[in-house]
Amino acid sequence: MLFDPIEIKNLKFKNRIVMPPMCQYQAIDGVANNWHMMHYAARAVGQVGTIIFEASAIETRGRISMNDLGIWDDKHINPLGSIVKECQKYGAKVGIQLAHAGRKSRVLDETIVAPTATAFNDTFSIPHELTISEIKEIIIKFGKAAKRAELAGFDFVEIHGAHGYLINEFLSPVTNLRGDEYGKNKELFLKEVLEEVKSCFQNEKPVFLRVSGEEYHENGNHPESLSAMLSKLSEYFDALHVSSGGIYEKEKYNIFPAYQLEYAEKLKHILHKPTIAVGRLENPELAENALIAGKADMIAIGKGMLSDPHWALHAARKLGVDIEWPESYLRAKGLV
Ligand SMILES: Cc1cc2nc3c(=O)[nH]c(=O)nc-3n(C[C@H](O)[C@H](O)[C@H](O)COP(=O)(O)O)c2cc1C
């Protein structure tokens, strides 16, 4: 099944293998460069079906670091666009993760922001608690970023709602202690972001949503509470990408093969959305079995793909599936 095509909102993906967003911390002023071209195009040549560009900040104080990729300005469009075009040449569908780091930003010379004025830990500054009008400004910036993504030629966008960054901070009872409507309705901020993104992004193109399906905190979100919120927003996103953690400094969890798969499975079965599972799934048989068992619809391979840009070609060989190799590399196809 890993090499079966899948369609999400009229967009056809040639296989079910996803390169998940992975920050490279190589950009200056948010602008993509040769590193990003080499990094993404190499995986497209390696026949991954879907590439999701790393967390790209919708405003400067929304960067995790000073070297994050950005999409807060029109100057970002062309450098991103040439990489997108190159990846699409090799048959990959390409998306970009639209992100805001919230209280987990380490940018210099800017006030960082969050739903509530509590720091992630002692090494981060205390964030400024966003006012309602400031929240609305951020929502508009998500929409503008989506428009830029469209102009750069991306096939879809992914909204970063995971890992304890701004959207996750609104969703979680651990970090959202507000008394206003954004506190009583923890999914409201995400709903408004999705609505704005949908209205600014080309209508027929899909919007993916990445979430932390488990927050590893007794008062935090678990698949059940999260899906109760997401079921109200179902019309605003087309696919779900299920990760975990990041909201709480002292979270404790074990990382083992397929450690997050159960969260993807639960959310998929409650929300009935095409679902990407991620997290130590780089063993091709394990990835294949997760699909066969109906626990997910697509499989993202992060570190496995950093270590091997040709992960998909090698997985096909291991699973005995004959897929197309890039012409220039054909003489390597038979090697074992
Ligand atoms: C170097 C690196 C950078 C990452 N950056 C992001 C990111 O920009 N956005 C995001 O949602 N997750 C990010 N992640 C998490 C990955 O997308 C993925 O969920 C995680 O690595 C688990 O999958 P794996 O076990 O296959 O590596 C990053 C992971 C790595 C290793």
Side-chain angles (χ1 to χ4, degrees):
M1 281 184 75
L2 260 183
F3 294 92
D4 288 350
I6 182 170
E7 215 169 306
I8 299 176
K9 205 181 177 203
N10 301 326
L11 189 66
K12 201 160 182 177
F13 301 84
K14 69 179 170 186
N15 60 41
R16 286 150 187 258
I17 303 166
V18 178
M19 177 186 187
M22 287 182 285
C23 285
Q24 298 297 294
Y25 307 118
Q26 293 278 357
I28 307 290
D29 207 18
V31 181
N33 56 41
N34 285 351
W35 174 268
H36 303 95
M37 173 65 88
M38 176 276 300
H39 172 66
Y40 291 112
R43 273 76 195 176
V45 169
Q47 295 305 300
V48 60
T50 306
I51 295 176
I52 308 177
F53 278 32
E54 66 209 75
S56 300
I58 59 113
E59 62 172 0
T60 53
R61 66 184 172 178
R63 287 175 290 180
I64 300 166
S65 80
M66 296 300 283
N67 299 109
D68 286 23
L69 217 50
I71 190 154
W72 67 80
D73 192 277
D74 289 351
K75 72 181 173 200
H76 297 123
I77 297 172
N78 286 342
L80 287 170
S82 52
I83 305 175
V84 171
K85 212 178 268 170
E86 194 63 22
C87 294
Q88 287 167 338
K89 256 194 221 166
Y90 305 104
K93 292 292 185 280
V94 190
I96 184 165
Q97 190 180 52
L98 305 183
H100 194 301
R103 70 176 187 161
K104 286 172 75 177
S105 169
R106 288 193 189 276
V107 287
L108 307 171
D109 305 325
E110 294 207 56
T111 304
I112 65 170
V113 298
T116 302
T118 54
F120 181 66
N121 66 28
D122 294 348
T123 72
F124 285 84
S125 354
I126 295 176
H128 160 68
E129 179 168 319
L130 286 163
T131 63
I132 302 247
S133 66
E134 289 165 343
I135 289 175
K136 303 286 182 199
E137 284 165 19
I138 291 179
I139 290 166
I140 288 169
K141 288 179 182 173
F142 266 100
K144 287 188 169 164
K147 188 72 203 166
R148 291 187 192 105
E150 180 187 315
L151 294 171
F154 285 100
D155 298 298
F156 66 96
V157 291
E158 177 176 276
I159 303 304
H160 197 349
H163 302 163
Y165 298 115
L166 187 67
I167 291 175
N168 195 175
E169 288 158 21
F170 272 93
L171 285 173
S172 178
V174 178
T175 42
N176 182 349
L177 309 176
R178 301 175 71 93
D180 63 9
E181 55 194 308
Y182 288 96
K184 289 183 198 128
N185 247 330
K186 299 213 168 11
E187 71 280 5
L188 180 60
F189 177 64
L190 173 58
K191 174 175 179 262
E192 293 182 347
V193 166
L194 288 169
E195 265 177 330
E196 184 70 10
V197 164
K198 279 249 164 205
S199 74
C200 295
F201 195 52
Q202 214 170 315
N203 203 22
E204 71 274 12
K205 292 189 173 183
V207 174
F208 288 30
L209 171 63
R210 194 173 223 212
V211 290
S212 281
E214 171 59 57
E215 289 178 356
Y216 308 113
H217 186 294
E218 59 178 333
N219 302 323
N221 280 320
H222 309 291
E224 297 72 18
S225 57
L226 186 67
S227 52
M229 289 191 280
L230 297 184
S231 60
K232 297 183 210 162
L233 314 184
S234 190
E235 66 190 278
Y236 302 110
F237 63 95
D238 305 294
L240 198 59
H241 191 171
V242 184
S243 185
S244 72
I247 201 82
Y248 171 56
E249 183 204 359
K250 295 190 179 117
E251 65 189 9
K252 284 200 176 71
Y253 61 97
N254 294 321
I255 296 183
F256 51 89
Y259 68 106
Q260 298 174 144
L261 184 58
E262 62 173 302
Y263 313 129
E265 182 184 8
K266 279 189 188 150
L267 290 172
K268 171 179 159 60
H269 288 119
I270 299 171
L271 296 166
H272 306 293
K273 287 281 181 188
T275 299
I276 308 172
V278 64
R280 294 296 321 280
L281 284 160
E282 67 278 357
N283 175 333
E285 280 102 358
L286 191 60
E288 177 71 11
N289 287 335
L291 295 176
I292 291 173
K295 295 180 178 178
D297 302 285
M298 297 170 94
I299 302 289
I301 309 292
K303 293 181 290 295
M305 221 171 273
L306 292 184
S307 110
D308 179 5
H310 294 171
W311 185 91
L313 295 172
H314 296 147
R317 183 192 277 159
K318 197 155 185 201
L319 295 172
V321 184
D322 187 18
I323 65 164
E324 215 172 295
W325 274 56
E327 181 128 10
S328 309
Y329 294 174
L330 268 182
R331 287 176 67 186
K333 188 174 178 179
L335 289 183
V336 278

mmCIF file of all heavy atoms in Angstrom, residues 20 23 45 67 75 146 167 194 236 270:
data_model
loop_
_atom_site.group_PDB
_atom_site.id
_atom_site.type_symbol
_atom_site.label_atom_id
_atom_site.label_comp_id
_atom_site.label_asym_id
_atom_site.label_seq_id
_atom_site.Cartn_x
_atom_site.Cartn_y
_atom_site.Cartn_z
ATOM 1 N N PRO A 20 8.073 14.660 6.238
ATOM 2 C CA PRO A 20 7.402 15.616 7.137
ATOM 3 C C PRO A 20 8.222 16.899 7.264
ATOM 4 O O PRO A 20 9.405 16.913 6.908
ATOM 5 C CB PRO A 20 7.373 14.859 8.471
ATOM 6 C CG PRO A 20 8.603 14.007 8.445
ATOM 7 C CD PRO A 20 8.816 13.621 6.994
ATOM 8 N N CYS A 23 12.701 21.479 10.298
ATOM 9 C CA CYS A 23 13.456 22.736 10.283
ATOM 10 C C CYS A 23 14.913 22.475 9.966
ATOM 11 O O CYS A 23 15.526 21.579 10.548
ATOM 12 C CB CYS A 23 13.414 23.389 11.660
ATOM 13 S SG CYS A 23 11.856 24.164 12.030
ATOM 14 N N VAL A 45 13.763 13.502 -5.996
ATOM 15 C CA VAL A 45 14.439 12.546 -6.878
ATOM 16 C C VAL A 45 14.339 11.139 -6.277
ATOM 17 O O VAL A 45 14.150 10.153 -6.979
ATOM 18 C CB VAL A 45 15.923 12.954 -7.087
ATOM 19 C CG1 VAL A 45 16.718 11.849 -7.766
ATOM 20 C CG2 VAL A 45 16.007 14.241 -7.888
ATOM 21 N N ASN A 67 17.054 31.554 12.165
ATOM 22 C CA ASN A 67 17.372 30.948 10.855
ATOM 23 C C ASN A 67 16.252 30.097 10.276
ATOM 24 O O ASN A 67 16.477 29.281 9.376
ATOM 25 C CB ASN A 67 18.672 30.148 10.952
ATOM 26 C CG ASN A 67 19.826 31.053 11.329
ATOM 27 O OD1 ASN A 67 20.331 30.992 12.436
ATOM 28 N ND2 ASN A 67 20.199 31.947 10.432
ATOM 29 N N LYS A 75 9.025 38.727 -0.490
ATOM 30 C CA LYS A 75 10.381 38.358 -0.968
ATOM 31 C C LYS A 75 10.650 36.857 -0.821
ATOM 32 O O LYS A 75 11.584 36.325 -1.416
ATOM 33 C CB LYS A 75 11.460 39.159 -0.219
ATOM 34 C CG LYS A 75 11.631 38.714 1.224
ATOM 35 C CD LYS A 75 12.679 39.544 1.935
ATOM 36 C CE LYS A 75 12.692 39.167 3.423
ATOM 37 N NZ LYS A 75 13.270 40.144 4.280
ATOM 38 N N ALA A 146 -0.707 31.989 3.406
ATOM 39 C CA ALA A 146 -1.312 30.968 2.530
ATOM 40 C C ALA A 146 -1.360 31.476 1.094
ATOM 41 O O ALA A 146 -1.102 30.737 0.141
ATOM 42 C CB ALA A 146 -2.709 30.614 3.033
ATOM 43 N N ILE A 167 -0.495 27.726 17.940
ATOM 44 C CA ILE A 167 -1.854 27.168 17.798
ATOM 45 C C ILE A 167 -2.094 26.110 18.875
ATOM 46 O O ILE A 167 -3.149 26.072 19.514
ATOM 47 C CB ILE A 167 -2.057 26.610 16.372
ATOM 48 C CG1 ILE A 167 -2.104 27.771 15.380
ATOM 49 C CG2 ILE A 167 -3.334 25.770 16.278
ATOM 50 C CD1 ILE A 167 -2.180 27.379 13.922
ATOM 51 N N LEU A 194 -7.906 28.556 10.330
ATOM 52 C CA LEU A 194 -8.265 27.676 9.205
ATOM 53 C C LEU A 194 -9.231 28.367 8.248
ATOM 54 O O LEU A 194 -9.086 28.266 7.025
ATOM 55 C CB LEU A 194 -8.880 26.376 9.729
ATOM 56 C CG LEU A 194 -7.909 25.390 10.401
ATOM 57 C CD1 LEU A 194 -8.677 24.281 11.121
ATOM 58 C CD2 LEU A 194 -6.946 24.781 9.398
ATOM 59 N N TYR A 236 -13.057 22.525 7.842
ATOM 60 C CA TYR A 236 -11.994 23.476 7.512
ATOM 61 C C TYR A 236 -10.657 22.843 7.168
ATOM 62 O O TYR A 236 -9.690 23.533 6.877
ATOM 63 C CB TYR A 236 -11.786 24.471 8.662
ATOM 64 C CG TYR A 236 -13.021 25.246 9.015
ATOM 65 C CD1 TYR A 236 -13.687 25.009 10.216
ATOM 66 C CD2 TYR A 236 -13.530 26.195 8.140
ATOM 67 C CE1 TYR A 236 -14.826 25.715 10.546
ATOM 68 C CE2 TYR A 236 -14.675 26.903 8.458
ATOM 69 C CZ TYR A 236 -15.325 26.657 9.663
ATOM 70 O OH TYR A 236 -16.445 27.350 9.983
ATOM 71 N N ILE A 270 -12.030 8.540 14.649
ATOM 72 C CA ILE A 270 -13.073 9.440 15.163
ATOM 73 C C ILE A 270 -13.438 10.495 14.115
ATOM 74 O O ILE A 270 -14.599 10.812 13.913
ATOM 75 C CB ILE A 270 -12.619 10.123 16.480
ATOM 76 C CG1 ILE A 270 -12.339 9.062 17.556
ATOM 77 C CG2 ILE A 270 -13.680 11.118 16.971
ATOM 78 C CD1 ILE A 270 -11.689 9.594 18.815
#
